Amino acid sequence: MSGAFGGQVVLITGASSGIGAELARQCAAAGARVALAARDADALARVAEECRTHGGEALVVPTDVTVEAQCRAMVDRTVAHFGRLDMLVNNAGMSMSARFDEISDLSIFERLLRLNVLGSIWSTAFALPHLKQTRGRIVAISSLAGLTGVPKRSAYCASKHAMAGFFDALRVELRDSGVSVTVVYPGFVRSEINRRALAADGTPFGERAYLRQPREAMETAACARQILRAAAGRKRDLIMTVQGKVGRILKWLTPGLVDRLAFNATASRQ
């Protein structure tokens, strides 16, 4: 993997924690120069220092990707500092958990669509001219919820389905450009996403969140390794788990069974 990213410039959104932070550390260890974007500048500074201890060069770019102008500034600052851009990882995102008929704050839908979809679209739009120059890579972190409907995740599923559709279309458009598009569909990963997920009233779950046990979720380090291998190989997409791969086939063959399995898996959880 170091051969794929050595000396390259990688811009990662949502890099202050979880998958994004681990991707940054592993990219730095592989010799990449990383630009770290998220809203929490202090958390980004800590991740940047970890990247430097791995031997990489790191730039902190505090950014709210729900603001189009900040997405432009994020890319401009990255290119001004490093002189180029080789890979954009659209990782910033947020989840939610509530039955649709129990949601009291419908702004949840706008908030998730703005962050998960528009933030990725704007970041990609401003990065694309630079990526065409380097024949670079675009990586979009979706979710298994971007492949099938999941109870209590209606807004999240809507955003991740939209994200997958956009990047699938973009991949075809960029076929002769040299720019690859990899869409990643993780399952459950041990990160802070459940704590930050929005409840029916639009507030984060925080300490109320369901905490997944080790056997239920992939470690972030393993998740990041799979993502970077897929990006290095310019894979079309990456479904990480056996359950996800089987579920995709079952959805084509017996969609009703997939609905029942999804309901049973989430009935007792947030």
Side-chain angles (χ1 to χ4, degrees):
M1 189 173 66
S2 60
F5 300 113
Q8 295 208 339
V9 176
V10 179
L11 170 57
I12 304 169
T13 68
S16 58
S17 64
I19 295 172
E22 182 59 26
L23 283 170
R25 289 187 287 264
Q26 291 192 21
C27 282
R33 295 173 288 169
V34 294
L36 312 178
R39 291 176 296 180
D40 189 335
D42 291 339
L44 286 177
R46 290 191 290 271
V47 176
E49 188 56 36
E50 292 171 346
C51 290
R52 294 178 189 120
T53 64
H54 284 88
E57 183 180 352
L59 172 69
V60 171
V61 190
T63 305
D64 182 349
V65 297
T66 67
V67 180
E68 181 180 350
Q70 291 197 32
C71 293
R72 181 192 293 273
M74 170 187 72
V75 173
D76 287 349
R77 187 175 172 195
T78 299
V79 175
H81 182 84
F82 291 115
R84 60 185 290 149
L85 180 61
D86 297 282
M87 183 162 76
L88 169 67
V89 181
N90 289 292
N91 171 71
M94 180 182 292
S95 187
M96 53 78 67
S97 183
R99 285 175 53 100
F100 178 69
D101 55 10
E102 294 175 350
I103 294 175
S104 58
D105 181 1
L106 289 172
S107 73
I108 288 172
F109 283 82
E110 181 179 359
R111 292 160 68 185
L112 264 67
L113 287 168
R114 181 171 285 272
L115 175 57
N116 296 355
V117 184
L118 290 178
S120 295
I121 290 172
W122 290 330
S123 299
T124 300
F126 298 125
L128 188 55
H130 305 287
L131 293 170
K132 285 182 176 179
Q133 292 178 10
T134 60
R135 301 179 70 84
R137 298 171 170 88
I138 298 169
V139 178
I141 310 300
S142 183
S143 165
L144 290 180
L147 294 174
T148 191
V150 179
K152 301 183 181 180
R153 301 288 193 275
S154 55
Y156 186 62
C157 288
S159 70
K160 290 301 186 179
H161 274 71
M163 189 178 178
F166 169 76
F167 283 106
D168 280 349
L170 181 64
R171 181 189 300 109
V172 179
E173 292 179 8
L174 295 177
R175 184 182 180 98
D176 297 325
S177 71
V179 179
S180 60
V181 178
T182 301
V183 182
V184 179
Y185 299 95
F188 298 127
V189 179
R190 289 179 66 81
S191 70
E192 297 180 10
I193 192 168
N194 279 6
R195 292 181 184 274
R196 296 178 177 177
L198 301 180
D201 62 358
T203 62
F205 273 101
E207 295 303 318
R208 299 172 293 161
Y210 173 79
L211 300 180
R212 300 193 182 280
Q213 302 303 309
R215 61 181 175 79
E216 297 179 291
M218 181 182 293
E219 295 294 333
T220 53
C223 176
R225 283 194 295 271
Q226 285 199 37
I227 292 170
L228 292 179
R229 280 197 297 268
R234 298 182 182 268
K235 290 188 62 175
R236 182 185 188 279
D237 54 29
L238 170 64
I239 300 176
M240 289 193 166
T241 67
V242 173
Q243 296 92 329
K245 294 173 183 176
V246 171
R248 192 181 207 183
I249 296 171
L250 289 177
K251 186 178 179 180
W252 294 331
L253 298 176
T254 58
L257 173 61
V258 174
D259 289 349
R260 290 194 297 274
L261 293 173
F263 177 84
N264 291 337
T266 60
S268 62
R269 297 176 182 171
Q270 294 170 337

